[in-house]
Amino acid sequence: LALVALARAGAAGQEVASAPSGRRLQEEGFAAGDFVEESAEAGFGGEMGGESEAEGEEDEEEFTPVDINAACMLLGGVTYVMALFQLVNIDDDDVRRYAWKVVSNTISIFMAVLFFQGNNKVIRAVVNTSDGGFIFIEFAHCGVYVVGMLLAVAFTTGVFGEAIPPNLEEEKWTVADAMLVTYGDEVPAHTVRAVQRGDFEATKSIIVDKWGMEVAVARLPVELQRRKRSSKMWSTLLAHMAGFAAIAAGSTMQHIEPFKSSPLLTLVPVGLTVGVMIIFFQGSRLIRAEMKAQALRTGRKGRRAAIVVESVGEAENDVLALAISFLTAQAVRFSISGQLPNGEGIEDPLKFEVQWRHVYLIGGAGLLFMLGSILLSSIRGMLPSEGGPGVEEDEEEDTIAERAVDVLMNTCAMGFAWCMFSAARWAWIISPLFKIHVMSIDARVILALILSFACFFIVYGLDKIDDALRATGGASKSAARTITSIVSAVSVLVGFAWEHSFDGAVTAVADLNPAHSVLLKFGLGLFVFVFLLRPWRKYILRRSMQLDELKELRDKKSVGPERNTLLAAGYLGHAARGDNMYLSGRMPEFQLVKGPPGAAAVRAEPHLPARRCRPPRPLCSHPSARRPGYSVYKFPRMRALAPRVPASQRHAASPAGGGFGT
């Protein structure tokens, strides 16, 4: 008992000795002084009394504020982890895919911000220059990430440093059971049952493992998938770092004269930042074009260069959207509150009285951003594709107009995220939960939890909207693109909320050594970055990409020629009139697509009610009508592309006969 009393007395002495530091943290907004006072009121000082008091209280459990905080973190952490497990394993494929995407993007944003801020603070501590000098350094910092992204993706795909390119289309047998630790590992072909039977065209089969159990295997392009995952990892991670570096440069520019004098002038740095980034991206685009041209000159397909073009192009769009949305949201908040937030999006110190009208205005601005994203998504769907019919979507090069609309659409979606985060913080300032200061670690964690649950409910609602659109026949690429954009914005919101929490935690730990707080914060950020990188890439990002591939495969199979022919044979008869093909009969909504020579494949929507189709009419003015061997028809709400059938091959096929267009 004496040893326990001495230990607790020593703890009480340490708490009292740390009171000045707590007051300093309270002045900075961390509310540590209140914490120390509550600790003293909990009875630390009284324990230094006589032995009789200690004996009288030996049977009573005393909980300090530290104990209560630890208990809340334990209970809340376990509950949150279990809720997350429930969400990523929910029995809805779309919700599960969105959930994994949100988790993947959240961790990527968290790692990128933590790593970048550590580097940026070290640079600012070492280099002593003016704001103009820091703007130049931060743009150079951003350029390093852009160049590093291009080089990393080029090396991981094999465009650089690989003299003899492998056959990326080669398919190998791999373990297809996700419950096994060997999931995705290659297996010898001679152990596969299909190969043993002589069926070399099979894509799925089984093997017998060393325990005598049958294990599912599938034939996949392993090397292609591995390189795609690696390129996705580096492009996503370095794109977020480049985006936050551009944010730092633009925010520093917003805080110098004359830009900081009015909300309208703070939009000028947004345009200047975009101009600098376009210069970076134009140089990257020229290098990527040369990669592809060189591959074609040497007689190769340019598949590796195509992966670089796709990965880096999408990443550059994210960089621009991230920077524009944050800086624009800063200007919007400045116009509402009259105070320009700092580079981290925080009004420090707070110079205005936050009122509910501020919350409503910033929330309304967020809703306007969201409406803009939906409108731009519709416009994006109306833009003509550069590849034309017969060109795979993944092989198409996005035009400047398409990239511009994509950037603006993602900008509006991310602007919604920044505005909602600001609205949540301002609402907390007005009505703090549990009377906790908004800048305390507790408040940051609780706010991140609330936003996480709210965002997951948004994801669930988006899935229901998507299901409703599919049920009514209104689903389209524009709707899918809008939902994907909103999910990405939600990821930014959740990621930044948790990064805000972890940044406060790292700052609190780094302040234990004030003399080396910058280096300590950099070291902690680097440690967390390295610790999270491998599990994020191997488990989370991989699962997110697998679910995306599954959806793409299902979409392709749903309009595949085999399924289409069966659907058509079950519902339709067709008659050939002149040189054009017409369809008749009672059927669901349908659309003709490209089929093999002398046949027509029909994509039917089985969930739509059967109806009598109006006679289609040729669209001679449509660009696709000029393609040799094809005709274009207008059906209800759809366009149809069908091959012309020679007269010698035309005949009517009835549903009973099962033939179609032979």
Side-chain angles (χ1 to χ4, degrees), residues 392-423:
E392 294 293 332
E393 186 176 354
D394 294 339
E395 298 175 359
E396 294 181 6
E397 289 274 0
D398 286 343
T399 63
I400 295 177
E402 288 174 335
R403 289 196 66 180
V405 174
D406 284 339
V407 170
L408 290 176
M409 181 176 64
N410 293 335
T411 297
C412 289
M414 292 182 183
F416 161 78
W418 298 123
C419 290
M420 291 299 105
F421 183 71
S422 301

Side-chain angles (χ1 to χ4, degrees), residues 75-95:
L75 298 175
V78 171
T79 304
Y80 185 73
V81 168
M82 297 309 295
L84 197 59
F85 269 111
Q86 171 69 21
L87 190 66
V88 298
N89 293 287
I90 199 168
D91 55 353
D92 189 309
D93 288 337
D94 290 332
V95 175

Side-chain angles (χ1 to χ4, degrees), residues 229-251:
R229 271 199 308 269
S230 298
S231 64
K232 182 69 172 179
M233 177 192 72
W234 290 113
S235 63
T236 301
L237 202 56
L238 291 171
H240 288 150
M241 292 182 186
F244 284 104
I247 285 174
S251 180

Side-chain angles (χ1 to χ4, degrees), residues 611-629:
R611 64 177 67 183
R612 179 74 60 179
C613 178
R614 297 192 299 272
R617 57 184 177 86
L619 297 179
C620 300
S621 61
H622 195 272
S624 300
R626 294 191 289 270
R627 292 193 66 206

Side-chain angles (χ1 to χ4, degrees), residues 15 30-40 64-67 69 442:
E15 293 287 340
F30 286 94
D34 293 340
F35 179 80
V36 173
E37 292 174 5
E38 292 173 3
S39 301
T64 67
V66 176
D67 296 330
N69 268 20
D442 293 343

